[in-house]
mmCIF file of all heavy atoms in Angstrom:
data_model
loop_
_atom_site.group_PDB
_atom_site.id
_atom_site.type_symbol
_atom_site.label_atom_id
_atom_site.label_comp_id
_atom_site.label_asym_id
_atom_site.label_seq_id
_atom_site.Cartn_x
_atom_site.Cartn_y
_atom_site.Cartn_z
ATOM 1 N N LEU A 1 8.269 -11.424 1.828
ATOM 2 C CA LEU A 1 8.858 -10.272 2.503
ATOM 3 C C LEU A 1 10.285 -10.016 2.012
ATOM 4 O O LEU A 1 10.948 -10.913 1.497
ATOM 5 C CB LEU A 1 8.853 -10.499 4.014
ATOM 6 C CG LEU A 1 7.470 -10.781 4.620
ATOM 7 C CD1 LEU A 1 7.608 -11.294 6.040
ATOM 8 C CD2 LEU A 1 6.609 -9.529 4.576
ATOM 9 N N ALA A 2 10.739 -8.784 2.201
ATOM 10 C CA ALA A 2 12.044 -8.385 1.659
ATOM 11 C C ALA A 2 13.086 -8.160 2.738
ATOM 12 O O ALA A 2 12.777 -7.895 3.898
ATOM 13 C CB ALA A 2 11.880 -7.118 0.827
ATOM 14 N N ARG A 3 14.334 -8.236 2.325
ATOM 15 C CA ARG A 3 15.459 -7.878 3.197
ATOM 16 C C ARG A 3 15.661 -6.365 3.205
ATOM 17 O O ARG A 3 15.961 -5.769 4.229
ATOM 18 C CB ARG A 3 16.728 -8.566 2.686
ATOM 19 C CG ARG A 3 17.982 -8.174 3.451
ATOM 20 C CD ARG A 3 19.226 -8.683 2.740
ATOM 21 N NE ARG A 3 20.432 -8.474 3.526
ATOM 22 C CZ ARG A 3 21.655 -8.731 3.075
ATOM 23 N NH1 ARG A 3 21.829 -9.215 1.864
ATOM 24 N NH2 ARG A 3 22.699 -8.519 3.838
ATOM 25 N N LEU A 4 15.499 -5.758 2.054
ATOM 26 C CA LEU A 4 15.796 -4.341 1.849
ATOM 27 C C LEU A 4 14.805 -3.428 2.563
ATOM 28 O O LEU A 4 13.601 -3.656 2.532
ATOM 29 C CB LEU A 4 15.755 -4.047 0.339
ATOM 30 C CG LEU A 4 16.073 -2.632 -0.129
ATOM 31 C CD1 LEU A 4 17.544 -2.315 0.122
ATOM 32 C CD2 LEU A 4 15.747 -2.474 -1.606
ATOM 33 N N ALA A 5 15.309 -2.379 3.194
ATOM 34 C CA ALA A 5 14.438 -1.356 3.770
ATOM 35 C C ALA A 5 13.827 -0.550 2.636
ATOM 36 O O ALA A 5 14.534 -0.067 1.749
ATOM 37 C CB ALA A 5 15.238 -0.445 4.701
ATOM 38 N N THR A 6 12.503 -0.433 2.647
ATOM 39 C CA THR A 6 11.794 0.248 1.560
ATOM 40 C C THR A 6 10.925 1.385 2.102
ATOM 41 O O THR A 6 10.551 1.381 3.275
ATOM 42 C CB THR A 6 10.908 -0.746 0.788
ATOM 43 O OG1 THR A 6 10.107 -1.491 1.733
ATOM 44 C CG2 THR A 6 11.748 -1.725 -0.003
ATOM 45 N N PRO A 7 10.598 2.363 1.256
ATOM 46 C CA PRO A 7 9.826 3.530 1.708
ATOM 47 C C PRO A 7 8.464 3.146 2.273
ATOM 48 O O PRO A 7 7.813 2.228 1.777
ATOM 49 C CB PRO A 7 9.658 4.354 0.425
ATOM 50 C CG PRO A 7 10.805 3.951 -0.445
ATOM 51 C CD PRO A 7 11.016 2.496 -0.160
ATOM 52 N N VAL A 8 8.060 3.865 3.318
ATOM 53 C CA VAL A 8 6.707 3.695 3.851
ATOM 54 C C VAL A 8 5.758 4.470 2.941
ATOM 55 O O VAL A 8 5.901 5.678 2.760
ATOM 56 C CB VAL A 8 6.613 4.212 5.301
ATOM 57 C CG1 VAL A 8 5.173 4.116 5.805
ATOM 58 C CG2 VAL A 8 7.547 3.416 6.208
ATOM 59 N N ILE A 9 4.812 3.769 2.352
ATOM 60 C CA ILE A 9 3.903 4.338 1.355
ATOM 61 C C ILE A 9 2.580 4.767 1.972
ATOM 62 O O ILE A 9 2.052 5.838 1.666
ATOM 63 C CB ILE A 9 3.641 3.309 0.229
ATOM 64 C CG1 ILE A 9 4.955 2.954 -0.469
ATOM 65 C CG2 ILE A 9 2.606 3.825 -0.758
ATOM 66 C CD1 ILE A 9 4.858 1.730 -1.367
ATOM 67 N N TYR A 10 2.054 3.927 2.848
ATOM 68 C CA TYR A 10 0.703 4.132 3.366
ATOM 69 C C TYR A 10 0.704 4.692 4.795
ATOM 70 O O TYR A 10 1.652 4.493 5.550
ATOM 71 C CB TYR A 10 -0.077 2.815 3.328
ATOM 72 C CG TYR A 10 -0.198 2.260 1.932
ATOM 73 C CD1 TYR A 10 0.588 1.183 1.512
ATOM 74 C CD2 TYR A 10 -1.078 2.820 1.012
ATOM 75 C CE1 TYR A 10 0.488 0.670 0.224
ATOM 76 C CE2 TYR A 10 -1.185 2.321 -0.275
ATOM 77 C CZ TYR A 10 -0.394 1.255 -0.667
ATOM 78 O OH TYR A 10 -0.491 0.761 -1.941
ATOM 79 N N LYS A 11 -0.387 5.378 5.134
ATOM 80 C CA LYS A 11 -0.549 5.926 6.473
ATOM 81 C C LYS A 11 -0.786 4.807 7.474
ATOM 82 O O LYS A 11 -1.296 3.747 7.133
ATOM 83 C CB LYS A 11 -1.733 6.902 6.497
ATOM 84 C CG LYS A 11 -1.534 8.144 5.641
ATOM 85 C CD LYS A 11 -2.786 9.006 5.650
ATOM 86 C CE LYS A 11 -2.624 10.213 4.728
ATOM 87 N NZ LYS A 11 -3.871 11.020 4.661
ATOM 88 N N GLU A 12 -0.416 5.059 8.701
ATOM 89 C CA GLU A 12 -0.609 4.078 9.773
ATOM 90 C C GLU A 12 -2.087 3.713 9.903
ATOM 91 O O GLU A 12 -2.965 4.574 9.812
ATOM 92 C CB GLU A 12 -0.100 4.659 11.096
ATOM 93 C CG GLU A 12 -0.051 3.653 12.230
ATOM 94 C CD GLU A 12 0.521 4.233 13.504
ATOM 95 O OE1 GLU A 12 1.004 5.383 13.475
ATOM 96 O OE2 GLU A 12 0.465 3.542 14.528
ATOM 97 N N ASN A 13 -2.346 2.433 10.059
ATOM 98 C CA ASN A 13 -3.705 1.898 10.227
ATOM 99 C C ASN A 13 -4.587 2.033 8.983
ATOM 100 O O ASN A 13 -5.812 1.935 9.066
ATOM 101 C CB ASN A 13 -4.408 2.546 11.426
ATOM 102 C CG ASN A 13 -3.704 2.264 12.735
ATOM 103 O OD1 ASN A 13 -3.222 1.151 12.957
ATOM 104 N ND2 ASN A 13 -3.596 3.264 13.587
ATOM 105 N N GLU A 14 -3.970 2.257 7.821
ATOM 106 C CA GLU A 14 -4.749 2.297 6.585
ATOM 107 C C GLU A 14 -5.365 0.921 6.335
ATOM 108 O O GLU A 14 -4.772 -0.108 6.642
ATOM 109 C CB GLU A 14 -3.864 2.707 5.412
ATOM 110 C CG GLU A 14 -4.624 3.051 4.153
ATOM 111 C CD GLU A 14 -3.887 4.017 3.244
ATOM 112 O OE1 GLU A 14 -2.918 4.658 3.686
ATOM 113 O OE2 GLU A 14 -4.302 4.116 2.086
ATOM 114 N N LYS A 15 -6.563 0.906 5.769
ATOM 115 C CA LYS A 15 -7.288 -0.348 5.573
ATOM 116 C C LYS A 15 -7.020 -0.939 4.187
ATOM 117 O O LYS A 15 -6.982 -0.230 3.192
ATOM 118 C CB LYS A 15 -8.792 -0.116 5.747
ATOM 119 C CG LYS A 15 -9.183 0.430 7.119
ATOM 120 C CD LYS A 15 -8.788 -0.518 8.240
ATOM 121 C CE LYS A 15 -9.188 0.045 9.594
ATOM 122 N NZ LYS A 15 -8.711 -0.806 10.709
ATOM 123 N N PHE A 16 -6.856 -2.241 4.149
ATOM 124 C CA PHE A 16 -6.657 -2.979 2.901
ATOM 125 C C PHE A 16 -7.601 -4.172 2.893
ATOM 126 O O PHE A 16 -8.250 -4.469 3.892
ATOM 127 C CB PHE A 16 -5.209 -3.463 2.787
ATOM 128 C CG PHE A 16 -4.171 -2.397 2.990
ATOM 129 C CD1 PHE A 16 -3.564 -2.217 4.221
ATOM 130 C CD2 PHE A 16 -3.792 -1.563 1.944
ATOM 131 C CE1 PHE A 16 -2.602 -1.229 4.421
ATOM 132 C CE2 PHE A 16 -2.839 -0.577 2.119
ATOM 133 C CZ PHE A 16 -2.244 -0.411 3.361
ATOM 134 N N GLU A 17 -7.624 -4.861 1.778
ATOM 135 C CA GLU A 17 -8.479 -6.041 1.664
ATOM 136 C C GLU A 17 -7.757 -7.110 0.858
ATOM 137 O O GLU A 17 -7.232 -6.829 -0.229
ATOM 138 C CB GLU A 17 -9.789 -5.654 0.968
ATOM 139 C CG GLU A 17 -10.804 -6.779 0.879
ATOM 140 C CD GLU A 17 -12.082 -6.358 0.174
ATOM 141 O OE1 GLU A 17 -12.369 -5.151 0.104
ATOM 142 O OE2 GLU A 17 -12.782 -7.261 -0.337
ATOM 143 N N ILE A 18 -7.696 -8.321 1.378
ATOM 144 C CA ILE A 18 -7.063 -9.418 0.651
ATOM 145 C C ILE A 18 -7.807 -9.630 -0.663
ATOM 146 O O ILE A 18 -9.036 -9.709 -0.691
ATOM 147 C CB ILE A 18 -7.059 -10.714 1.491
ATOM 148 C CG1 ILE A 18 -6.109 -10.560 2.694
ATOM 149 C CG2 ILE A 18 -6.634 -11.919 0.636
ATOM 150 C CD1 ILE A 18 -6.111 -11.728 3.644
ATOM 151 N N GLY A 19 -7.061 -9.686 -1.757
ATOM 152 C CA GLY A 19 -7.675 -9.897 -3.067
ATOM 153 C C GLY A 19 -8.102 -8.625 -3.770
ATOM 154 O O GLY A 19 -8.624 -8.689 -4.887
ATOM 155 N N LYS A 20 -7.875 -7.464 -3.135
ATOM 156 C CA LYS A 20 -8.285 -6.194 -3.731
ATOM 157 C C LYS A 20 -7.068 -5.289 -3.899
ATOM 158 O O LYS A 20 -6.489 -4.810 -2.922
ATOM 159 C CB LYS A 20 -9.337 -5.507 -2.858
ATOM 160 C CG LYS A 20 -9.924 -4.232 -3.457
ATOM 161 C CD LYS A 20 -10.688 -4.517 -4.733
ATOM 162 C CE LYS A 20 -11.298 -3.238 -5.308
ATOM 163 N NZ LYS A 20 -11.934 -3.481 -6.626
ATOM 164 N N ALA A 21 -6.674 -5.041 -5.151
ATOM 165 C CA ALA A 21 -5.525 -4.184 -5.444
ATOM 166 C C ALA A 21 -5.838 -2.733 -5.114
ATOM 167 O O ALA A 21 -7.002 -2.346 -4.976
ATOM 168 C CB ALA A 21 -5.134 -4.322 -6.910
ATOM 169 N N ILE A 22 -4.797 -1.919 -5.000
ATOM 170 C CA ILE A 22 -4.965 -0.508 -4.643
ATOM 171 C C ILE A 22 -4.537 0.368 -5.813
ATOM 172 O O ILE A 22 -3.382 0.321 -6.250
ATOM 173 C CB ILE A 22 -4.119 -0.160 -3.405
ATOM 174 C CG1 ILE A 22 -4.537 -1.032 -2.220
ATOM 175 C CG2 ILE A 22 -4.251 1.317 -3.044
ATOM 176 C CD1 ILE A 22 -3.496 -1.165 -1.169
ATOM 177 N N GLN A 23 -5.453 1.145 -6.325
ATOM 178 C CA GLN A 23 -5.146 2.058 -7.427
ATOM 179 C C GLN A 23 -4.707 3.405 -6.863
ATOM 180 O O GLN A 23 -5.408 4.016 -6.059
ATOM 181 C CB GLN A 23 -6.351 2.245 -8.343
ATOM 182 C CG GLN A 23 -6.073 3.169 -9.523
ATOM 183 C CD GLN A 23 -7.275 3.341 -10.423
ATOM 184 O OE1 GLN A 23 -7.951 2.372 -10.753
ATOM 185 N NE2 GLN A 23 -7.550 4.578 -10.832
ATOM 186 N N ILE A 24 -3.542 3.862 -7.311
ATOM 187 C CA ILE A 24 -2.996 5.143 -6.875
ATOM 188 C C ILE A 24 -2.941 6.066 -8.088
ATOM 189 O O ILE A 24 -2.178 5.847 -9.022
ATOM 190 C CB ILE A 24 -1.579 4.962 -6.277
ATOM 191 C CG1 ILE A 24 -1.625 3.967 -5.102
ATOM 192 C CG2 ILE A 24 -0.995 6.300 -5.839
ATOM 193 C CD1 ILE A 24 -0.274 3.475 -4.633
ATOM 194 N N GLY A 25 -3.787 7.077 -8.092
ATOM 195 C CA GLY A 25 -3.856 8.005 -9.214
ATOM 196 C C GLY A 25 -4.920 7.612 -10.227
ATOM 197 O O GLY A 25 -5.389 6.474 -10.246
ATOM 198 N N GLU A 26 -5.273 8.585 -11.084
ATOM 199 C CA GLU A 26 -6.340 8.379 -12.066
ATOM 200 C C GLU A 26 -5.863 8.576 -13.510
ATOM 201 O O GLU A 26 -6.676 8.693 -14.416
ATOM 202 C CB GLU A 26 -7.497 9.346 -11.782
ATOM 203 C CG GLU A 26 -8.163 9.162 -10.434
ATOM 204 C CD GLU A 26 -8.984 7.889 -10.338
ATOM 205 O OE1 GLU A 26 -9.343 7.322 -11.399
ATOM 206 O OE2 GLU A 26 -9.254 7.451 -9.201
ATOM 207 N N GLY A 27 -4.562 8.627 -13.722
ATOM 208 C CA GLY A 27 -4.040 8.884 -15.066
ATOM 209 C C GLY A 27 -4.541 7.892 -16.107
ATOM 210 O O GLY A 27 -4.831 6.739 -15.791
ATOM 211 N N THR A 28 -4.641 8.359 -17.341
ATOM 212 C CA THR A 28 -5.123 7.493 -18.433
ATOM 213 C C THR A 28 -4.041 7.189 -19.475
ATOM 214 O O THR A 28 -4.287 6.456 -20.420
ATOM 215 C CB THR A 28 -6.331 8.141 -19.139
ATOM 216 O OG1 THR A 28 -5.939 9.424 -19.645
ATOM 217 C CG2 THR A 28 -7.500 8.297 -18.195
#
């Protein structure tokens, strides 16, 4: 965890999974 206040990226109650990364965007 960090000391610095950082931007909120995800919506409240968004679902995640341990061991599964999150891809944002489809750029190649």
